Amino acid sequence: MKSKELSVDLRDRIVLRHKSGEGYRKNSAALKVPMSTVASIIRKWKKFKTTRTLPRAGRPSKLSDRERRALVREVTKNPMVTLSEIQRSSVERGEPSRRTTISAAIHQSGLYGRVARRKPLLSKKHMAARLEFAKRHLKDSQTMRKKILWSDETKIELFGVNARRHVWRKPGTIPTVKHGGGSIMLWGCFSAAGTGRLVRIKGKMTAAMYRDILDENLLQSALELRLGRRFIFQQDNNPKHTAKISKEWLQDNSVNVLELPSQSPDLNLVEHLWRDLKMAAHRRFPSNLMELERCCKEEWMKLAKDRCAKLVASYSKRLEAVIAAKGASTKY
């Protein structure tokens, strides 16, 4: 708790003793005032030539410097802590706990609540591979983009859209976030002509399960989207995708493969459709995983063909952005 201010008379006596040549220690012992307080009053007198309380700019803060530092440490150590959680911690410590008081103190330290972006950590090897990929495919992107069947897997949580989470951070810092909870895994594909099939993955996916997904859905999706037999199948280099059993199936079925470099969600156009799907499915408030699966499949079929076509049209610009960033991650 903050201590009460000393009376003007006591402050004047401290200064008077200082003028007479008495040291801080003797001054503190004689008047029974902490030596740090004696030093603070004398510094103020030297600077402003008064011991009176100076006019303040506004209402005094209810938080002490120590309490303010404790708040900053808490949100720096755990950027995803919510304001409600901080408030409960403050109540338990017996400190001021108004939400406005807490948020103002955190803001004064340069920390603000922001939506955490999912941005991968790239090594030099990743950046070099991304740059080489972008340069190699930029020239052909205009002609080949309409022939590509884009694919990916995603996790969709039952409660809450797992694409967004607020964190405390300073401007210019971008933390990575992960999410949990009851969820389903989905595999889906799309092209410039619209969405292909969407499949739920039950349990932990293996290379054999991935091969079966391709066998039951890939060629059928390409046929339904009228891509022709010479279409290009996009996938990332997940170990299940590049496993021997998966490669053999693709080779046996004469499927041309476009493998994206590691840590490149900005080049995978399906990421945007996943975001659209999650928002649409959660607007229907499914109450269990079976309802969530049904909602996802229904909303997937409703995704506009124009949306798919615009995403595919943006592929060249995405490659150019990677080249301009010299392989570094770009906004997606």
Side-chain angles (χ1 to χ4, degrees), residues 120-172:
L121 181 63
L122 297 177
S123 66
K124 290 183 178 179
K125 184 178 179 180
H126 289 140
M127 293 172 66
R130 284 164 49 82
L131 183 59
E132 190 275 331
F133 177 90
K135 288 180 177 178
R136 178 157 42 93
H137 289 91
L138 181 59
K139 291 182 180 179
D140 300 328
S141 62
Q142 294 289 344
T143 55
M144 65 183 274
R145 65 189 184 192
K146 291 185 178 180
K147 299 178 182 178
I148 300 176
L149 184 63
W150 303 85
S151 74
D152 197 12
E153 297 89 27
T154 192
K155 179 179 77 172
I156 300 187
E157 294 177 357
L158 177 60
F159 300 115
V161 180
N162 60 355
R164 293 169 68 88
R165 176 81 185 256
H166 281 81
V167 298
W168 295 100
R169 65 176 175 86
K170 291 188 176 182

Side-chain angles (χ1 to χ4, degrees), residues 26 87 138 200 203 235 264 303 311 322:
K26 288 185 177 181
Q87 189 178 25
L138 181 59
R200 180 177 176 181
Q235 62 178 5
S264 298
L303 292 176
L311 280 176
V322 171

Side-chain angles (χ1 to χ4, degrees), residues 19-80:
K19 287 181 178 181
S20 67
E22 191 171 82
Y24 289 4
R25 191 180 300 278
K26 288 185 177 181
N27 205 333
S28 169
L31 299 177
K32 297 181 180 180
V33 175
M35 193 162 61
S36 60
T37 304
V38 171
S40 176
I41 290 171
I42 293 172
R43 280 197 306 271
K44 179 180 178 180
W45 172 76
K46 287 180 177 179
K47 184 175 181 179
F48 300 106
K49 303 302 179 184
T50 182
T51 59
R52 270 59 176 173
T53 301
L54 298 173
R56 295 186 175 95
R59 182 178 177 179
S61 174
K62 288 185 174 293
L63 291 170
S64 67
D65 290 340
R66 182 188 61 80
E67 292 166 344
R68 188 176 287 104
R69 288 195 299 271
L71 286 176
V72 173
R73 279 197 304 271
E74 184 173 357
V75 299
T76 302
K77 185 177 180 180
N78 180 15
M80 287 185 285

Side-chain angles (χ1 to χ4, degrees), residues 141-151 189-196 221-222 224-228 231-234 269-270 273 300 303-315:
S141 62
Q142 294 289 344
T143 55
M144 65 183 274
R145 65 189 184 192
K146 291 185 178 180
K147 299 178 182 178
I148 300 176
L149 184 63
W150 303 85
S151 74
C189 61
F190 88 104
S191 74
T195 54
S221 293
E224 292 164 4
L225 293 170
R226 299 181 180 181
L227 295 179
F231 73 94
I232 301 169
F233 175 55
Q234 174 275 323
L269 306 182
V270 191
L273 289 190
W300 181 254
L303 292 176
K305 292 182 179 180
D306 287 348
R307 170 66 167 153
C308 297
K310 287 180 180 178
L311 280 176
V312 173
S314 71
Y315 183 51

Side-chain angles (χ1 to χ4, degrees), residues 275-285 295 299 303:
R275 199 170 304 157
D276 294 348
L277 177 64
K278 291 169 185 177
M279 297 293 286
H282 283 100
R283 279 197 291 266
R284 295 175 58 171
F285 302 104
C295 291
E299 294 299 330
L303 292 176

Side-chain angles (χ1 to χ4, degrees), residues 232-249:
I232 301 169
F233 175 55
Q234 174 275 323
Q235 62 178 5
D236 59 31
N237 57 5
N238 183 296
K240 291 140 185 101
H241 302 172
T242 57
K244 182 179 179 181
I245 192 173
S246 303
K247 285 185 174 181
E248 287 178 348
W249 186 94

